[in-house]
Structures are given as structure tokens and as C-alpha cells.
């Protein structure tokens, strides 16, 4: 690496560390301020404190990941390229997704509670708690919620398998789609190569190939991605059934269409990233796309949750304020 290349890579890493610290401070300082002024509703401090801990864990994981690329043995081997452990890279992305899921769900839930307390609408439903309860206890909606939860988990697992692809540079192999080397799947002896087993009895052959063999890791990601796409399409089509459509809240229906559209974009981004040999803008777009798809599913789950404690507290506060104003007028 020459000095100019080093400067560029240094800039990205330095910028990422500074942004990470700013995000941490930007989260913890307001949290301490609002907690000290007792401005948080009953369940929020616990959720937010857990997220502050996750933030600290994420910082630690970032350090631990970078450390894995600084092995002394690399300096001794001529031509060796420092690389971080793909397991630690995936763990870093996993924590980022969990932290994001916690923040997004908490933020949207709080906004929905506020809207319900002030405007009386919930995911597009009007008519108060009884109407909401009617919709959310409908067996069709319960079934839809279970499927959405499973799909959200599948998107998460697919994204984590993508991190293994990125960490092993497995996107630089088999740059074609839908085939791999002219076949739907590479030969079994390549997918489960004995070269990756470390135990003499070969008992780790399966899991090491699934997690460490770049060919198998890319194949896993393709299979999971196709599974995710089919599952998203199936959920979207179920939402087009007139009975299901009539049962779902309006907001959930719109988000479902958004999720289906995003799954299409995400698959196209993934295929383009592979065909063009992983150029950074496409790879970054594909990573951002996974967050957008995950966001749609998280939002669907939140749209099918009941109003929280904060909504009731705000409603009571508004009633108390209205009573005080009325009393003053008398
Ligand atoms: C729902 C579908 C998909 C999701 C949620 C998803 C998610 C992800 C994620 C999160 C990463 C890691 C990005 C990073 O950490 O830099 C990734 C990497 C990757 N994905 Fe996907 N992906 C999907 C579909 C696909 C498809 C269909 C393909 C192509 C066959 C594909 C090819 C790749 C490649 C080549 C990489 C490595 C990029 C790199 O090295 O930076 N993905 N994917």
C-alpha cells in the first residue's frame, strides 16, 4: 500500500471512529438529561439504558474486530494482507442491527403513542382503544404478525450471512447469477472441502465450510437471499387477499407494499454487486438496502403493537390540563 492509499483508508477508519463516538455521546447525554429531569415514561429508561450498554458493547466489538487484523504474524509473512476476522466483522454488524432495531422501534413506538394521545389515530385506525383491540385481536392479523416476525428474523439472518460474504471477500468468486460455474450449485466437494476442516477426524467439516469456505458462504447467502425474497413476496401476496387486506390497519398495508418493493431493489443491488465485482458504491448501497428492508419489517411489527404506557400517561396529562383550563374559565 502506498502513502496515498494509506491516507484514504485511514480517513475512512478515522471518520468511522469519530462518527461512532459522536453517535454514542449524542445518545447518552440527552438520555442522562431527560432521565435526570424525570421526562421519560415508565418503560423507557430500561430500554434506553440497555441500548446505551449495547453502544458501549459496539465500541468494544469495533476495537476487538480491528485488533484481529493486527496480528504480529502478518508482519513476519512476506506479502500477507492484514484482514479482520470475518466472525468479528459479522458480530459488529449484528450489534449494529440490534442497536438500530432497538432505537428505531422505541422511537417509532413513542411517536405513535404521542400521535394516538393527541390525534386519536393508531396505524391509520380511528375509534379509540376498542377499535384498535378489535383489529389487533383478529386471528388473521395475529397470523400475519407471526409471519412478519419470522420474516424479520430471516432478513436479519440473511444480512448476517452477507457480512460473512463481505468479510471473506467471497463476492469476488463466481461473479454470475443465477448460476455458479455454469451450475445451480457448485460441486459438493467444493462446497464441503476437507481443506477447511481443522480436526483430524473431520468432525468440523460441515460447520467450518458453511461459515469459512468463501464458495459455501456465498452459496449460503444466495440461498438465504432467495428464501427472503420468496417469503417477502408470499407475505405481500397474502396481504393482497381481500379478507386479509380488510383486516390489516392501513399503515401496515402501505408498509407491506414498501417491504416488497425494497426486497426487489435489494436483490437487484445484490446481483449487481456480484456481477460488477463488488465496487464500493454498489456494495455500500446493498448494505444500506438491507437496513431499509429490515426497517420496513420492524415498522410493520410496530404498526401491529398496542398503544403503550406513554400514550395513557399523555392522555391523562391532556385531560388534567383540559380540566384545569375549564376550571380557570369558571
Ligand atoms: C434480501 C436479500 C439480501 C439481503 C438482506 C442482503 C444483505 C447483505 C448484507 C447485510 C451484506 C453485508 C454488507 C457489508 O457488510 O458490507 C451483503 C453482502 C453481499 N451480498 Fe447480499 N443481501 C441480499 C441479497 C443478495 C443477493 C441476491 C446477492 C447476489 C446473488 C447478494 C450478494 C452479496 C454480495 C456479493 C455481498 C458482499 C459485498 C461486499 O463484499 O462488500 N446479496 N448482503
Amino acid at each position: 500500500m502506498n502513502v496515498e492509499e494509506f491516507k484514504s483508508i485511514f480517513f475512512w477508519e478515522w471518520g468511522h471512529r469519530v462518527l461512532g463516538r459522536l453517535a454514542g455521546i449524542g445518545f447518552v447525554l440527552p438520555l442522562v438529561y431527560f432521565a435526570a429531569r424525570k421526562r421519560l415514561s415508565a418503560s423507557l429508561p430500561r430500554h434506553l439504558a440497555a441500548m446505551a450498554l449495547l453502544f458501549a458493547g459496539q465500541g468494544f466489538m469495533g476495537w476487538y474486530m480491528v485488533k484481529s487484523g493486527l496480528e504480529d504474524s502478518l508482519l513476519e509473512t512476506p506479502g500477507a494482507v492484514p484482514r479482520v476476522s470475518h466472525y468479528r466483522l459479522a458480530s459488529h454488524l449484528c450489534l449494529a442491527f440490534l442497536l438500530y432495531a432497538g432505537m428505531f422501534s422505541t422511537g417509532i413506538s413513542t411517536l405513535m403513542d404521542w400521535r394516538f394521545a393527541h390525534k386519536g389515530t393508531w396505524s391509520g385506525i380511528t375509534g379509540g382503544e376498542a377499535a384498535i383491540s378489535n383489529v389487533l385481536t383478529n386471528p388473521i392479523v395475529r397470523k400475519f404478525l407471526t409471519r412478519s416476525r419470522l420474516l424479520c428474523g430471516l432478513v436479519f439472518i440473511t444480512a448476517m450471512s452477507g457480512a460473512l460474504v463481505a468479510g471473506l471477500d467471497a463476492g469476488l468468486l463466481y461473479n454470475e447469477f443465477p448460476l455458479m460455474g455454469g451450475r445451480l450449485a457448485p460441486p459438493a466437494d467444493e462446497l464441503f472441502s476437507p481443506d477447511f476442516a481443522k480436526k483430524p477426524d473431520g468432525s468440523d467439516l460441515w460447520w467450518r465450510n458453511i461459515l469459512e469456505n468463501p464458495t459455501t458462504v456465498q452459496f449460503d447467502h444466495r440461498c438465504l437471499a432467495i428464501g427472503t425474497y420468496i417469503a417477502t413476496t408470499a407475505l405481500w401476496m397474502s396481504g393482497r387477499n381481500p379478507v386479509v387486506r380488510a383486516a390489516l390497519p392501513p399503515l401496515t398495508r402501505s408498509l407491506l407494499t414498501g417491504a416488497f418493493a425494497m426486497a426487489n431493489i435489494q436483490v437487484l443491488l445484490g446481483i449487481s454487486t456480484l456481477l460488477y465485482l463488488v465496487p464500493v458504491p454498489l456494495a455500500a448501497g446493498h448494505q444500506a438496502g438491507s437496513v431499509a428492508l429490515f426497517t420496513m419489517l420492524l415498522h410493520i411489527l410496530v404498526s401491529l403493537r398496542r398503544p403503550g404506557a406513554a400514550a395513557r400517561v399523555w392522555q391523562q396529562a391532556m385531560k388534567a390540563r383540559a380540566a384545569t383550563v375549564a376550571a380557570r374559565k369558571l
Side-chain angles (χ1 to χ4, degrees):
M1 186 186 287
N2 62 32
V3 174
E4 281 315 307
E5 283 166 341
F6 177 74
K7 280 185 186 169
S8 154
I9 205 167
F10 183 92
F11 166 78
W12 283 107
E13 179 155 352
W14 175 83
H16 185 66
R17 288 181 190 205
V18 171
L19 269 179
R21 284 171 198 155
L22 282 179
I25 295 169
F27 181 76
V28 171
L29 286 186
L31 169 60
V32 172
Y33 173 80
F34 287 117
R37 296 200 61 197
K38 299 206 181 340
R39 289 286 182 168
L40 302 174
S41 63
S43 60
L44 268 187
R46 256 182 303 127
H47 289 171
L48 297 177
M51 280 179 242
L53 279 180
L54 262 183
F55 243 120
Q58 179 67 330
F60 171 80
M61 186 47 83
W63 167 81
Y64 187 56
M65 177 184 75
V66 170
K67 191 174 169 295
S68 65
L70 301 172
E71 298 285 329
D72 284 346
S73 59
L74 284 165
L75 297 174
E76 287 150 21
T77 323
V81 179
R83 299 206 58 86
V84 295
S85 147
H86 67 297
Y87 288 122
R88 296 188 200 177
L89 180 90
S91 310
H92 193 50
L93 190 73
C94 173
L95 276 186
F97 265 63
L98 292 179
L99 193 52
Y100 176 76
M103 288 191 167
F104 181 79
S105 311
T106 309
I108 292 291
S109 304
T110 309
L111 284 175
M112 282 176 67
D113 284 345
W114 175 262
R115 201 181 165 83
F116 178 63
H118 287 81
K119 301 206 168 133
T121 60
W122 185 261
S123 297
I125 309 168
T126 45
E129 299 252 10
I132 297 168
S133 186
N134 250 348
V135 173
L136 299 186
T137 51
N138 182 335
I140 296 173
V141 176
R142 308 288 317 156
K143 199 167 160 193
F144 181 88
L145 177 61
T146 307
R147 286 184 184 170
S148 307
R149 281 193 183 127
L150 289 174
L151 180 57
C152 192
L154 184 59
V155 170
F156 178 77
I157 294 170
T158 306
M160 293 311 112
S161 81
L164 295 180
V165 178
L168 287 171
D169 271 345
L172 298 176
L173 301 168
Y174 289 108
N175 301 96
E176 53 181 339
F177 190 88
L179 302 181
M180 287 178 86
R183 314 159 45 132
L184 272 179
D189 57 347
E190 201 182 325
L191 286 175
F192 293 99
S193 156
D195 296 348
F196 288 87
K198 288 198 178 145
K199 289 194 178 159
D201 63 356
S203 55
D204 55 349
L205 180 101
W206 275 75
W207 74 262
R208 279 210 188 269
N209 273 284
I210 288 173
L211 298 174
E212 296 179 5
N213 176 349
T215 302
T216 320
V217 166
Q218 195 200 108
F219 183 66
D220 299 341
H221 188 57
R222 285 182 187 227
C223 293
L224 283 166
I226 293 166
T228 303
Y229 182 71
I230 293 173
T232 314
T233 309
L235 191 72
W236 174 71
M237 282 174 68
S238 79
R240 292 184 61 81
N241 174 314
V243 181
V244 180
R245 209 179 146 70
L248 291 175
L251 176 64
T252 315
R253 292 203 298 262
S254 314
L255 289 167
L256 184 59
T257 307
F260 176 62
M262 197 55 232
N264 282 284
I265 296 173
Q266 179 63 357
V267 166
L268 288 178
L269 279 170
I271 296 171
S272 315
T273 306
L274 190 70
L275 297 187
Y276 289 100
L277 296 168
V278 195
V280 174
L282 271 179
H286 183 55
Q287 193 186 49
S290 68
V291 178
L293 180 58
F294 189 52
T295 303
M296 295 285 179
L297 285 152
L298 287 172
H299 204 161
I300 288 179
L301 299 185
V302 176
S303 75
L304 294 173
R305 141 192 182 276
R306 284 166 186 280
R312 254 155 265 138
V313 173
W314 276 319
Q315 269 175 339
Q316 281 161 9
M318 277 172 55
K319 274 185 198 149
R321 195 180 302 159
T324 319
V325 173
R328 272 203 205 122
K329 276 187 188 155
L330 286 174

